[in-house]
Amino acid sequence: MEISNLFWIMLAISALVFIGVAGAILLSIFRFSARPAAPEPRQVAGDRRLETLWTIIPFVLLIFAFGATVKGITDINTPAKGGQPLDIIAMGHQWWWEFDYPTLHITSSNEMHVPAGVPLHIHVESYDVIHSFWVPQLARQLDANPGQDNPVFVKMDQPGTYAGMCYEYCGAAHAWMKFETVVQPKGQFDAWVKHLQSPAARPTGLAAKGQKVFLSNTCVNCHSIIFPGSRAAGGVGPNLTHVGSRWAIGAGAASNTVANLMQWVHQPSSLKPGVNMPGYPLLSQKDLTALATYLHSLK
Ligand code: CUA
């Protein structure tokens, strides 16, 4: 908001200057062109009044632009009014985003839900290399640097879903580092938080078989699924406790369907070239189907 206001102010000033200068040039061309046999015009070189005037006008304009820019810089680093800001850690990974809500004790992947009208304090960080956090409607591009908190104060008033992406080349799958920002009315946001705080659904039928496949393979080394009585707690890859409810898999690489989940586990690089997750080409078709059904059931 502050950046866009500053942009319009600068554009208005520049437009006025442009119209003034272009108008003066056009006026000179048509009104004051030399006519045949006209006398020599009055010479104004070294006119002190004119020299002073065209030094002072740009000086005043530049001082104003400087002041407005400094105010903009201060404003975007000031918490928005409307109560205690909600802390969100946006952690870039090769190649997905982790969203931690330390005060709410939840973690989401590639999906950042925020309550509308509530001030946010987003801490952009990186787990590995330099990424860049960008939701065009939310804020400017923010570098995600390893070991460094790059915070920003923002507020989203308009409920809706806004696309986000990584804006800094960070390796092979940089293009598949998308995420969604879901701005919700407070009530819906609270329901989402409650949903994420709850453990995974208890699987039945084919999904129950899929859970066994999940637990008996190396999935658990990297992913966590929190369910009653047990807990697979790998922290390298995205948390899968509610993976079935996400908008996409592979940070936007494919839509969230059982068939795509099967292909993903079988050979992730076929959907997302360069991805760090290894494939499981030796899993039988039956096991793959059960596993994908299980993951998709984790709403
Ligand atoms: Cu992360 Cu580009």
Side-chain angles (χ1 to χ4, degrees):
M1 192 63 189
E2 285 82 4
I3 295 173
S4 128
N5 286 346
L6 185 60
F7 168 78
W8 288 112
I9 291 171
M10 295 299 182
L11 186 71
I13 295 176
S14 311
L16 280 179
V17 171
F18 175 78
I19 290 168
V21 172
I25 291 174
L26 287 178
L27 187 72
S28 311
I29 290 173
F30 292 109
R31 177 84 175 68
F32 299 111
S33 291
R35 303 249 154 26
E40 180 92 338
R42 192 165 64 89
Q43 298 302 303
V44 291
D47 184 310
R48 185 155 300 164
R49 262 184 14 219
L50 275 178
E51 296 281 356
T52 314
L53 194 66
W54 63 49
T55 305
I56 285 182
I57 293 177
F59 181 75
V60 169
L61 286 179
L62 286 177
I63 288 290
F64 178 79
F66 176 74
T69 307
V70 169
K71 183 176 178 307
I73 292 173
T74 329
D75 284 352
I76 54 176
N77 289 320
T78 309
K81 290 188 185 67
Q84 177 72 20
L86 172 66
D87 281 304
I88 302 176
I89 299 168
M91 179 77 77
H93 291 254
Q94 278 177 322
W95 287 275
W96 57 285
W97 291 95
E98 178 184 345
F99 298 103
D100 262 310
Y101 299 69
T103 53
L104 303 172
H105 310 289
I106 55 170
T107 299
S108 174
S109 302
N110 305 323
E111 218 173 280
M112 182 175 79
H113 288 234
V114 303
V118 173
L120 310 170
H121 196 191
I122 301 179
H123 306 263
V124 179
E125 295 177 37
S126 170
Y127 180 81
D128 35 47
V129 301
I130 298 175
H131 302 275
S132 179
F133 176 91
W134 194 34
V135 183
Q137 286 90 346
L138 178 70
R140 60 199 188 277
Q141 292 151 8
L142 291 149
D143 277 349
N145 299 314
Q148 193 198 322
D149 178 3
N150 193 9
V152 63
F153 285 106
V154 283
K155 196 170 81 165
M156 293 285 266
D157 290 318
Q158 197 62 43
T161 301
Y162 304 88
M165 66 209 81
C166 177
Y167 206 74
E168 175 98 27
Y169 182 71
C170 54
H174 156 70
W176 294 121
M177 209 173 145
K178 300 180 173 181
F179 60 98
E180 277 196 345
T181 301
V182 184
V183 182
Q184 298 172 303
K186 187 76 172 64
Q188 279 179 30
F189 173 76
D190 289 344
W192 177 79
V193 170
K194 224 165 165 190
H195 177 63
L196 252 70
Q197 284 169 340
S198 64
R202 194 179 292 277
T204 53
L206 190 58
K209 193 166 171 296
Q211 187 185 46
K212 288 206 183 75
V213 177
F214 180 84
L215 293 173
S216 57
N217 281 280
T218 51
C219 316
V220 290
N221 294 353
C222 297
H223 293 286
S224 62
I225 294 182
I226 296 158
F227 52 86
S230 185
R231 185 189 158 99
V236 180
N239 180 320
L240 299 179
T241 307
H242 299 284
V243 66
S245 64
R246 298 220 183 103
W247 68 284
I249 57 175
S255 53
N256 194 348
T257 63
V258 172
N260 283 342
L261 282 165
M262 284 175 70
Q263 189 183 339
W264 180 266
V265 175
H266 180 72
Q267 197 187 16
S269 58
S270 66
L271 291 170
K272 181 167 173 170
V275 64
N276 281 329
M277 177 175 146
Y280 290 80
L282 299 179
L283 274 187
S284 71
Q285 198 69 15
K286 258 168 80 183
D287 282 355
L288 265 182
T289 313
L291 178 56
T293 305
Y294 171 57
L295 293 173
H296 199 251
S297 76
L298 297 173
K299 296 292 185 195

